Amino acid sequence: MPRARDRPATALMTRVVVIGAGIAGLISAWALSDDVDSVVVHDAGLTGQASPVAAGMLASAAELADGEEALHALAARSVRGWPELAGRLRDAGGVDVGLRDEGTLLLSLHRDDDAELDRHARRLARLGLPPARLDARTCRRLEPALSSAVRAGLRLEDDLSVDTTAVLAALRGALRRRGVEIRSGAVEPVRTGERVTGVRLSSGDVHPANVVVLAAGAHSRPLAARVGLEVGVRPVKGELLRLRTHTPVLTCTLRAQVDGVPVYLVPRRNGEVVVGATSDDCGFDTRRTPRAALDLLLAATAVVPELRDAELVSHDVGLRPGTADNGPYLGEAAPGLVVATGHYRHGYLLAPATAVAVRHAVLGTAAWPEAVPFRPHRPVDQKVGLP
Ligand code: GLY
């Protein structure tokens, strides 16, 4: 499809409405904004939005799980798109999204965890990505603040991270400069016959669109149900803490298991460390619990003892949009409806992949073969489809 401004005035207008102003919605709007006639993003202020509180790990190697090789392939390609995306966002509005390339250190603090490091090394080796195995002294040379309890580590050099607050601000600013309106208030998709034809505002008015992009994270399922579509997304609660030290204590992202509690620590350049995250399948529960705070603080300070003296900046909850196979739904789900949801733990990591998939669905541009397994109508237990 030619760019909107290059098309004759008589050509059909393409009006896009995006439901959701998290990372998936904003990146979808950004991906389309130069090539369609209008894009409006509806920020419904949905409870438990994951994007503003996410740690921003772009960690395709660290987060690889057994049986998720297809997801890893998509994630590994997507992460390679981040340096260009970060550069384009900087050019668009001068915002530095804090892209860091020091990688991840997976750590073992207990004899039992040595075996898990070995398993993860074998998982990556099977994909042709054998990581470097480090002894305790080398780990501490890389990160002097590490506890003396650290026994060994795996260095995953290709993992990146971003400052999620900066990414959202950069995207919002860049969209406004491109004339994309970001409206507040609840909306739901509406259908005329077999086609989704726009969104209904809380006033009852309908905002017509040729394409609606559903990017409402954990809330996508009830919204899709309004047009008779089943989108298999469920909320998976995560609690995170933000700590701040006067001078930065870390450079790499750290991951470890402490007394059965999995923990990650993601450093920001301003001295903040994001500590996450719990994982609970408990519906739309956004309560901040003492248990999560205790578990995360005990685990984080066991890995980096000097964080005991850090400032405790915040304790937040995000509802990850989980799916049956942990992969996203990307593409046309029904006539007039494109879905960009179900990113689960990987909203930021998969942002470049989401941009490409949404452009493919709306504009017919080239798709990534790695995205094919994540088409909306794939056969999984909780599927997407019109009944
Ligand atoms: N990707 C980090 C998390 O979901 O907690």
Side-chain angles (χ1 to χ4, degrees):
M1 184 166 167
R3 293 157 82 91
R5 59 171 168 264
D6 302 333
R7 263 182 283 135
T10 50
L12 276 181
M13 298 271 285
T14 308
R15 289 187 302 254
V16 178
V17 167
V18 178
I19 305 178
I23 180 65
L26 296 179
I27 199 73
S28 298
W30 162 265
L32 298 173
S33 54
D34 230 7
D35 294 300
V36 299
D37 297 284
S38 80
V39 184
V40 174
V41 177
H42 284 274
D43 181 355
L46 299 166
T47 52
Q49 226 195 356
S51 296
V53 302
M57 281 182 290
L58 310 176
S60 63
E63 299 209 294
L64 171 66
D66 284 332
E68 292 186 2
E69 289 72 15
L71 182 57
H72 177 267
L74 181 67
R77 180 150 186 196
S78 191
V79 80
R80 291 199 296 275
W82 258 103
E84 188 193 331
L85 175 58
R88 290 183 62 201
L89 289 173
R90 194 178 40 245
D91 294 347
V95 179
D96 177 355
V97 298
L99 186 71
R100 299 195 66 148
D101 63 0
E102 289 91 345
T104 305
L105 261 183
L106 290 189
L107 298 167
S108 151
L109 278 75
H110 191 273
R111 191 199 309 262
D112 296 345
D113 301 329
D114 295 350
E116 179 46 36
L117 284 194
D118 290 337
R119 270 195 294 278
H120 203 72
R122 282 198 297 274
R123 248 175 236 136
L124 287 167
R126 279 197 292 276
L127 298 176
L129 304 163
R133 170 111 194 189
L134 310 182
D135 61 18
R137 228 176 33 178
T138 314
C139 291
R140 272 193 290 281
R141 215 171 33 236
L142 278 173
E143 291 292 357
L146 285 179
S147 150
S148 56
V150 166
R151 296 167 53 91
L154 286 187
R155 179 125 202 243
L156 311 177
E157 288 185 332
D158 295 333
D159 285 355
L160 308 175
S161 70
V162 279
D163 181 334
T164 49
T165 309
V167 172
L168 296 179
L171 275 168
R172 280 177 171 264
L175 287 170
R176 283 205 188 92
R177 271 183 291 279
R178 282 191 180 175
V180 174
E181 205 184 327
I182 303 179
R183 294 185 189 162
S184 300
V187 294
E188 60 184 38
V190 290
R191 179 174 156 183
T192 310
E194 285 304 296
R195 200 174 171 86
V196 172
T197 48
V199 293
R200 184 173 293 107
L201 316 180
S202 47
S203 64
D205 292 345
V206 170
H207 177 169
N210 310 88
V211 178
V212 172
V213 179
L214 179 62
H219 295 264
S220 298
R221 183 177 211 147
L223 283 168
R226 308 299 295 188
V227 285
L229 195 69
E230 196 192 333
V231 173
V233 172
R234 69 185 197 286
V236 181
K237 180 182 180 185
E239 294 185 57
L240 296 96
L241 308 174
R242 266 164 224 267
L243 308 180
R244 189 185 295 131
T245 53
H246 286 303
T247 50
V249 287
L250 296 174
T251 54
C252 302
T253 291
L254 305 179
R255 295 179 77 107
Q257 179 101 347
V258 180
D259 294 331
V261 174
V263 67
Y264 53 75
L265 296 92
V266 184
R268 303 276 192 254
R269 290 199 197 285
N270 64 1
E272 258 184 35
V273 178
V274 184
V275 178
T278 60
S279 197
D280 292 296
D281 240 311
C282 56
F284 288 91
D285 170 9
T286 53
R287 289 171 315 126
R288 299 176 300 156
T289 63
R291 176 191 292 278
L294 277 168
D295 282 353
L296 293 172
L297 286 173
L298 286 173
T301 53
V303 178
V304 179
E306 67 182 271
L307 287 176
R308 286 164 204 256
D309 297 315
E311 179 190 349
L312 180 52
V313 178
S314 64
H315 177 178
D316 296 299
V317 173
L319 299 176
R320 306 176 183 91
T323 63
D325 62 4
N326 296 338
Y329 291 120
L330 300 173
E332 190 180 57
L337 185 75
V338 169
V339 290
T341 189
H343 293 75
Y344 187 36
R345 295 179 170 277
H346 309 300
Y348 287 86
L349 174 56
L350 295 178
T354 302
V356 173
V358 168
R359 280 180 62 80
H360 170 67
V362 178
L363 302 169
T365 50
W368 287 356
E370 293 88 343
V372 170
F374 302 101
R375 65 199 182 281
H377 293 279
R378 66 185 179 272
V380 287
D381 288 346
Q382 304 166 58
K383 56 185 177 303
V384 174
L386 283 170

